[in-house]
Amino acid sequence: MKKLSFCLMALAMAASTMFTSCGDDDDDDNNNNNALEKINSLSASVKDGSFSTSAAGFYQSAGSENTGTSALGKIFSSANNTYTTIAGTEKGKQLAISINGTTTGTYQLSVASDETVNNALIDLLSGKSAKEIVAESVKTDAMIIYRSTGEAEGDATYYFATDASVTVNFDLVLYSTGTFTATMRNKAGDTFKITDGNFKVFGKPIMGNKN
């Protein structure tokens, strides 16, 4: 996936060079760099005030320790066993948005109203053993993780969504966009809300199996 993202970035840079009018080379370079930063962006209002990075991108559509989403394969239940993760890191904090699919649309998570299902989800994302009730009962299409870089499920600064809405557009030519909001909590029960979430990154989701 990183190779795919690199190729798409190289293609976009080549295209921008081809269609840029002649002028000062330094100005052209600055304009191209600014355009890339705007596209590879992920930002939101979070617990610490704000999160913003110009180094966001797609990750392999499978559980990943690199994005703190290794438990998602036990939650998502799509027929083709695929999901998409977009993530970025800023100042030691990481934000990861995962959806249960690879197509344009709105993906939602809402389990807080069902105490049994909610507790099972909390147990799983707090680092406890996976329960059969998660695989059988949790029907969710989105998950958002906010953590200190390297923190695992159950750690104090690992927050996960109990309610979320993610709207994505994968129909553009070279890049993808999206917006998201969420209610977050950690194992201890501390909560906060993510608002004004948005991303714009090079590339498209890929098909892959959850492992």
Side-chain angles (χ1 to χ4, degrees), residues 198-211:
N198 66 83
F199 64 82
K200 182 185 289 187
V201 296
F202 275 113
K204 307 287 181 179
I206 63 171
M207 304 298 287
N209 292 325
K210 297 194 296 277
N211 297 314

Side-chain angles (χ1 to χ4, degrees), residues 3-4 65 131 163 168 189 199:
K3 183 177 181 181
L4 175 61
E65 295 294 342
K131 298 181 178 181
D163 185 88
V168 296
F199 64 82

Side-chain angles (χ1 to χ4, degrees), residues 67 69 72 76 83-86 96-101 107 141-145 166:
T67 55
T69 57
L72 288 180
F76 287 161
Y83 64 90
T84 300
T85 297
I86 294 169
I97 301 96
S98 295
I99 58 171
N100 192 20
Y107 297 78
D141 288 325
M143 177 51 66
I144 297 176
I145 305 296
V166 182

Side-chain angles (χ1 to χ4, degrees), residues 17 20-33:
T17 301
T20 298
S21 61
C22 296
D24 184 82
D25 289 342
D26 290 338
D27 290 341
D28 290 344
D29 289 342
N30 288 335
N31 290 336
N32 289 337
N33 288 336

Side-chain angles (χ1 to χ4, degrees), residues 155-173:
D155 291 336
T157 58
Y158 180 101
Y159 287 83
F160 52 90
T162 57
D163 185 88
S165 178
V166 182
T167 299
V168 296
N169 183 357
F170 297 141
D171 295 335
L172 301 173
V173 176

